[in-house]
């Protein structure tokens, strides 16, 4: 027979994963100020394998409008520059032979709207993951009724799962609203 606590725990774990994924996705969206996490998706060819940029260079933000990348090996400057140009970051790197500087340009109104729309889409994707976790947990409870779980216990567990679901959906809405506010702030 299904353990309702374990079922709830599994659903929470799936919902947590959706939130972690959302946080990472929102961090990669550029909001007008320098944030080293916009480079998280950039991979550099390093001795024959694709390696995250943070593994081959030191990434800092000396001010709100620039990111400085200092590779640990000077020979990596060209590779890092190529990787940034090939990525979806949308910023042209400036290489001075020692470091690579990324100047974060101010966002246009149209670009802000695009980024806001992208943030909302990421939020919607996270909500889908949370809803799927709820559906899986409720399906498992419905199967447990056939295996002998009392209906009142199943209904209580279902109500508990719904409460957890509502809490996570609210967290997604708050995260997206905060990112939207950050994007729209000039």
């Amino acid at each position: 027979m299904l353990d309702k606590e374990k079922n709830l725990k599994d659903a929470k774990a799936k919902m947590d994963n959706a939130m972690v994924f959302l946080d990472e996705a929102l961090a990669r969206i550029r909001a007008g100020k320098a944030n080293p996490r916009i480079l998280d998706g950039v991979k550099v060819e390093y001795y024959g394998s694709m390696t995250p940029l943070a593994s081959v260079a030191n990434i800092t933000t000396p001010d709100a409008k620039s990111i400085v990348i200092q590779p640990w090996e000077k020979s990596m400057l060209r590779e890092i520059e190529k990787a940034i140009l090939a990525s979806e970051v949308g910023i042209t790197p400036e290489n001075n032979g020692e470091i690579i500087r990324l100047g974060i340009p101010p966002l246009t109104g149209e670009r802000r709207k695009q980024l806001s729309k992208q943030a909302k889409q990421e939020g919607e994707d996270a909500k889908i993951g949370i809803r799927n976790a709820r559906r899986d947990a409720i399906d498992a409870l419905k199967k447990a009724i056939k295996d002998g779980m009392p209906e009142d216990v199943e209904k209580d567990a279902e109500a508990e799962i719904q409460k957890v679901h509502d809490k996570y959906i609210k967290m997604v809405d708050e995260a997206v609203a905060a990112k939207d506010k950050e994007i729209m702030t000039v």
Side-chain angles (χ1 to χ4, degrees):
M1 191 161 94
L2 179 77
D3 178 15
K4 72 174 195 165
E5 292 301 317
K6 183 182 180 319
N7 189 33
L8 181 64
K9 203 168 160 184
D10 290 346
K12 278 184 177 178
K14 289 178 183 175
M15 292 179 191
D16 278 336
N17 287 343
M19 285 303 297
V20 166
F21 188 79
L22 174 67
D23 288 342
E24 289 174 4
L26 291 178
R28 285 193 197 113
I29 296 176
R30 184 166 61 92
K33 63 181 179 194
N35 180 352
R37 290 194 64 192
I38 65 171
L39 298 172
D40 283 355
V42 178
K43 301 264 192 250
V44 180
E45 186 164 333
Y46 186 63
Y47 293 110
S49 65
M50 296 309 279
T51 309
L53 178 58
S55 298
V56 297
N58 188 23
I59 303 170
T60 56
T61 52
D63 57 57
K65 294 290 178 197
S66 63
I67 298 174
V68 172
I69 303 162
Q70 185 165 20
W72 293 319
E73 297 177 26
K74 290 235 190 296
S75 61
M76 290 303 296
L77 277 170
R78 304 276 326 129
E79 287 296 323
I80 292 172
E81 200 171 17
K82 280 197 303 191
I84 292 170
L85 286 170
S87 72
E88 295 176 10
V89 174
I91 301 171
T92 306
E94 300 167 22
N95 178 350
N96 71 2
E98 296 282 321
I99 59 171
I100 294 174
R101 185 177 303 275
L102 297 177
I104 308 296
L107 296 173
T108 63
E110 187 177 313
R111 182 70 177 141
R112 285 180 195 281
K113 287 178 188 162
Q114 279 180 331
L115 293 174
S116 176
K117 195 173 181 181
Q118 183 182 348
K120 287 181 176 112
Q121 182 59 49
E122 295 292 352
E124 204 49 52
D125 292 346
K127 286 181 182 180
I128 290 169
I130 291 168
R131 289 185 197 117
N132 287 342
R134 176 189 61 180
R135 185 195 64 223
D136 293 346
I138 290 174
D139 286 350
L141 288 170
K142 297 228 186 277
K143 285 180 187 165
I145 287 180
K146 293 176 186 164
D147 294 338
M149 179 185 270
E151 269 189 48
D152 58 334
V153 171
E154 185 267 343
K155 288 291 177 201
D156 290 345
E158 200 173 310
E160 211 171 315
I161 288 169
Q162 184 62 41
K163 281 182 193 169
V164 170
H165 165 270
D166 294 344
K167 181 181 96 175
Y168 276 92
I169 292 293
K170 186 177 180 206
M171 288 167 54
V172 168
D173 288 338
E174 289 169 355
V176 170
K179 189 64 179 186
D180 193 48
K181 183 179 177 199
E182 183 184 338
I183 290 169
M184 290 303 182
T185 303
V186 178

